Amino acid sequence: MSTLFTRIIEGELPGRFVWKDDDVVAFLSIGPLADGHTLVVPREEVDRWTDASPELLSKVTLVAQTIGQAQMDAFDAPRAGMIIAGFEINHLHLHVWPSRGESEFDFKRAQQNPDPAVMDAAAEKIREALRVAGHGANVPEA
């Protein structure tokens, strides 16, 4: 049975994608810690990050770093936060968001019903920052 993330990747469920390549995708979290909170997910269904091949984990981390840099640029943030949790969905994913402090590293403060217009705008800001940084080939249209 496909994971929730596989269903999003395959277009069965909606997602606000900011990155797509042959191995990895990135789309906005529906429970963001901050505007622009993005999930970086391999297309391959891997349960735990410790189960991923070194090559796949490296690729996911590289995309997360690229997304984090774009978020810092797009949201004028001093840092990009990153967490690998893995309890809510059994499909490897990295949470990456523009961060202004350690208090943001708490899933209890995640937005439960974010404004769709704010989410759309945040996704477009990240896409534009990725394009400006030279990653346009991996940036999908809205």
Side-chain angles (χ1 to χ4, degrees):
M1 180 174 198
S2 295
T3 69
L4 175 67
F5 289 160
T6 297
R7 294 178 65 207
I8 293 169
I9 292 166
E10 292 177 352
E12 294 176 32
L13 296 172
R16 289 176 176 86
F17 287 87
V18 298
W19 181 277
K20 288 184 178 181
D21 68 30
D22 291 341
D23 304 308
V24 179
V25 300
F27 49 87
L28 264 57
S29 172
I30 61 169
L33 295 174
D35 290 344
H37 180 165
T38 301
L39 303 177
V40 180
V41 184
R43 290 180 182 271
E44 179 183 342
E45 289 183 352
V46 176
D47 183 359
R48 298 175 296 241
W49 69 271
T50 54
D51 295 335
S53 70
E55 297 79 18
L56 181 60
L57 186 59
S58 176
K59 178 76 184 271
V60 171
T61 304
L62 178 61
V63 172
Q65 184 180 38
T66 302
I67 298 294
Q69 183 62 56
Q71 290 169 334
M72 290 188 309
D73 294 343
F75 296 94
D76 195 30
R79 303 252 188 236
M82 186 179 86
I83 293 177
I84 302 174
F87 288 101
E88 63 280 1
I89 308 273
N90 293 336
H91 190 145
L92 168 62
H93 58 287
L94 281 61
H95 294 262
V96 183
W97 69 96
S99 180
R100 289 175 174 73
E102 288 183 29
S103 66
E104 295 178 354
F105 286 72
D106 181 359
F107 286 108
K108 291 178 191 155
R109 59 180 297 285
Q111 298 174 43
Q112 297 305 308
N113 294 301
D115 181 336
V118 171
M119 299 272 292
D120 290 342
E124 189 51 42
K125 285 178 83 168
I126 295 168
R127 287 186 205 105
E128 183 56 28
L130 288 166
R131 288 183 197 105
V132 168
H135 301 288
N138 297 110
V139 177
E141 294 301 317

